[in-house]
Amino acid sequence: MGYGTEMDGCGRFMKYSLFFTNFIIFIGGVVITGLAIWAFVDKVPYIGDLIGNDLLTGTVYVLLAGGILVSIIAFFGCIGASREVKCMLVTYFIIVFLLFVTILIGGILGYVFSEKLVNTLEREMSGSLRLYDHRKSVRDTWDTTQAQLHCCGVHTWRDWGLHGLRVPESCCREVQPGQRFNCSAGTDTVNPSNAYLEGCLNRTQIYMQQHAAVMGGAGIAVACLMFFGMVFSCALFKMIE
């Protein structure tokens, strides 16, 4: 009887631990989904096109899909824990394991991107700048980056003139939303009071690394919580008669 009572106590502990862990995972999934949406609203994937690397864009998509699925599964995991249904626990474990791998990969990709970015950013930005007048996608990306980060060129606004290009309107400061000063007088002259003079290299690097670190850290943190969820579900499964 003492053994049975102890098992009942352990079973209840595992049950409530799994329920609590799933509740935290659910919140984590909502946070990851929110961060991924924030990245889209903040045009991170769009600006990521500037450096010719789809790694961060892929990370955002992985975390968005993973965050939504994690939230849904964690919600049903709470129900499975409270009902003590073995079939639901097995299904929960399999799905959470797959999501654990997905979210963990997404988190690691965020940090991998952060390290890889430093080595390729300047080369890719300089190469894409030359194509500004030839490709609409490149032009839109540069205009978005310069307007969003309040910068101009790679190292300085003079980079445009070095390639025989006129300084884009996106280098001009905003008078009000949707309206900018006319700051460019050609390929080699701007009005310094109305233009962004700092280059985009450092600002883009910091911007992308910050987003990658935040999303990567959130993904790894939720993956760790999911690991505990799998452990508790296995333990509870064995204790249910």
Side-chain angles (χ1 to χ4, degrees), residues 21-35 62-74 92 96-108 111 213-230:
T21 301
N22 272 288
F23 180 72
I24 300 299
I25 292 173
F26 172 79
I27 295 175
V30 172
V31 170
I32 287 180
T33 302
L35 287 174
V62 166
L63 292 179
L64 176 62
I68 293 173
L69 290 175
V70 163
S71 300
I72 296 173
I73 297 304
Y92 168 83
V96 168
F97 175 75
L98 296 175
L99 289 175
F100 166 78
V101 175
T102 301
I103 293 292
L104 184 62
I105 290 174
I108 293 173
Y111 283 105
V214 169
M215 290 186 293
I220 291 174
V222 171
C224 291
L225 289 172
M226 293 172 71
F227 175 78
F228 286 107
M230 290 187 291

Side-chain angles (χ1 to χ4, degrees), residues 167-188:
V167 177
E169 184 181 339
S170 55
C171 283
C172 303
R173 298 180 185 275
E174 279 191 320
V175 181
Q176 57 187 21
Q179 182 179 355
R180 297 183 177 277
F181 287 106
N182 182 15
C183 65
S184 175
T187 60
D188 56 357

